[in-house]
Amino acid sequence: QVQLVESGGGLVQPGGSLRLSCAASWRMIGILAMGWYRQAPGKQRELVASMTSRGSTNYHDSVKGRFTISRDNAKNTLYLQMNSLKPEDTGVYYCNYSPPTDRYWGQGTQVTVSA
């Protein structure tokens, strides 16, 4: 059974950084487009960063210049480097295919940006 396990979240002050990881239980990283999604309190889940199988990236306007998506195919792991974090970046972060597949939603990892 394929699983995606997110980790790396936490509490950080505004302006701080975090690096999220998404470990796949099966060789799926780099095969199809994948993305990082964010669900803020009271809001719908949204795509914040994606990467195609060829390595092209795309970012939500709100995170451009601050977040970087990357992957390590050998480790079956997707990453999201988040710098200059803002309170509005608070939420639960998930990884999934882009567009997403319902059965691959994991537990996510909580990111809280607060002073």
Side-chain angles (χ1 to χ4, degrees):
Q1 182 179 354
V2 176
Q3 285 186 311
L4 295 170
V5 180
E6 301 91 349
S7 62
L11 173 64
V12 63
Q13 292 186 340
S17 298
L18 284 173
R19 188 194 194 203
L20 307 184
S21 298
C22 168
S25 61
W26 181 70
R27 186 174 171 270
M28 60 190 290
I29 303 296
I31 303 300
L32 295 174
M34 295 202 68
W36 281 98
Y37 300 78
R38 172 175 69 198
Q39 186 162 23
K43 296 186 177 181
Q44 289 190 333
R45 191 152 38 194
E46 62 182 354
L47 178 66
V48 296
S50 62
M51 177 178 277
T52 69
S53 59
R54 294 190 174 188
S56 297
T57 58
N58 196 32
Y59 298 92
H60 191 280
D61 284 346
S62 66
V63 307
K64 282 182 180 177
R66 301 188 297 121
F67 290 12
T68 303
I69 187 172
S70 63
R71 69 188 181 207
D72 186 329
N73 292 351
K75 295 182 178 180
N76 294 326
T77 303
L78 187 73
Y79 302 100
L80 185 68
Q81 178 67 45
M82 305 188 297
N83 298 327
S84 302
L85 283 161
K86 304 176 180 180
E88 51 264 42
D89 295 319
T90 294
V92 181
Y93 286 70
Y94 305 85
C95 62
N96 203 321
Y97 283 125
S98 177
T101 300
D102 283 345
R103 69 175 182 263
Y104 293 145
W105 290 118
Q107 296 298 310
T109 185
Q110 174 72 46
V111 172
T112 303
V113 184
S114 176

